[in-house]
Amino acid sequence: MEVSLRGRSAIVTGGSKGIGFAVATRFAASGADVAIVARGREAREAALKSIGATARGKVLAIQGDVAVPADVQRAYDEAMTAFGKLDIVVNNAGTSRTGAFEEISDEIWRQDFDQKLFIRLIRLVWPQLKERRWGRIINVLNIGAKAPRAKSAPTSITRAAGMALTKVLAGEGAPYNVLVNALLVGFIEADQHVQAAARAGIPLADYVAARAKDIPLGRIGRAEEFANLACFLASDSGSYITGTAINVDGGRSPIV
């Protein structure tokens, strides 16, 4: 099966590293014009160069923090100026911030919702998707949205809210052929795991091996594997899939 995104334009938040970078790379190689949004200049510029090496369309890198309304508006405006339209939105920005409930301040709760609920960018793009009667929105969450553990707040709470948002928008978008789905990450190669290993003071290989013991497939996932599924959902090949939350976790989640 050929999965093509020729003629489509996409915006990917958190697109300079890890899963977001892999998704943007796959989209660009499949023919889409792609804008990545990320905060760090060096990572953003490196991603732009790498994605551009295999791209079959335009590639744009935009500085922005999705928790800042003005940044979201500017990212949208820059992508629209470059591409003329947006067909696909991948909401990927955010980190897995966790802690004991009583230790989480109001400010941390607010920051997590601002970063992970994705409302602002979707609200900007939504009208044109309905007007053209074609659109794809992919919300990147994690398996904690379905199966939260103790001390997994605030991220499991905000991710669950993202799953609810996915279902609401799928219902509203369906009459206009705007398909909205969520992909729930298990343990996928990402920069945040490099940072976690460093904080724990252990080699990355040991950190990964310890985490892989809980995965039925016996290994962590590759970002490219995640990107392949995202590309399928973003394409015409995924035209009858909406309102669902798919685990991409090697079988780790106890919830289907």
Side-chain angles (χ1 to χ4, degrees):
M1 178 194 304
E2 179 186 5
V3 179
S4 173
L5 297 180
R6 284 191 295 269
R8 304 299 184 190
S9 300
I11 187 166
V12 181
T13 66
S16 65
K17 298 179 181 179
I19 287 170
F21 171 74
V23 169
T25 300
R26 183 71 167 86
F27 281 13
S30 298
D33 294 333
V34 178
I36 62 169
V37 183
R39 291 177 294 183
R41 181 180 61 83
E42 291 185 7
R44 196 171 62 248
E45 292 177 353
L48 177 63
K49 182 177 180 180
S50 180
I51 295 168
T54 58
R56 297 166 64 186
K58 300 175 183 176
V59 183
L60 178 67
I62 304 169
Q63 189 281 329
D65 183 342
V66 297
V68 178
D71 282 14
V72 176
Q73 181 68 59
R74 180 171 46 76
Y76 171 79
D77 291 343
E78 289 187 24
M80 287 295 294
T81 298
F83 303 152
K85 67 183 178 77
L86 285 169
D87 304 295
I88 304 162
V89 179
V90 179
N91 292 302
N92 171 68
T95 58
S96 295
R97 198 171 190 175
T98 61
F101 175 77
E102 71 273 15
E103 297 173 358
I104 303 170
S105 67
D106 285 358
E107 179 64 14
I108 290 174
W109 279 108
R110 185 193 63 77
Q111 290 173 357
D112 219 60
F113 272 100
D114 275 348
Q115 191 176 51
K116 295 176 186 168
L117 201 48
F118 314 137
I119 291 170
R120 296 184 181 104
L121 182 57
I122 295 174
R123 188 166 53 206
L124 290 170
V125 178
W126 192 254
Q128 63 175 288
L129 303 184
K130 290 173 62 178
E131 182 180 353
R132 287 196 304 274
R133 303 187 71 84
W134 199 100
R136 301 289 190 269
I137 295 174
I138 299 171
N139 294 325
V140 179
L141 308 173
N142 68 36
I143 57 175
K146 291 182 182 179
R149 299 172 290 102
K151 298 184 178 181
S152 67
T155 192
S156 62
I157 310 299
T158 51
R159 298 303 195 187
M163 198 161 64
L165 176 65
T166 298
K167 196 64 174 179
V168 168
L169 291 176
E172 294 187 19
Y176 302 94
N177 192 38
V178 178
L179 311 185
V180 187
N181 293 289
L183 293 180
L184 276 57
V185 179
F187 193 60
I188 303 286
E189 294 173 349
D191 184 66
Q192 63 180 304
H193 302 309
V194 176
Q195 297 172 12
R199 287 195 300 269
I202 61 175
L204 178 61
D206 293 346
Y207 178 84
V208 167
R211 297 291 294 272
K213 291 178 181 178
D214 297 329
I215 302 172
L217 282 181
R219 64 175 178 86
I220 68 170
R222 300 187 303 275
E224 293 76 14
E225 293 174 304
F226 186 98
N228 288 339
L229 179 53
C231 192
F232 172 80
L233 291 176
S235 74
D236 286 323
S237 297
S239 57
Y240 199 60
I241 304 171
T242 193
T244 192
I246 303 172
N247 298 336
V248 188
D249 67 343
R252 185 183 179 201
S253 175
I255 308 295
V256 174

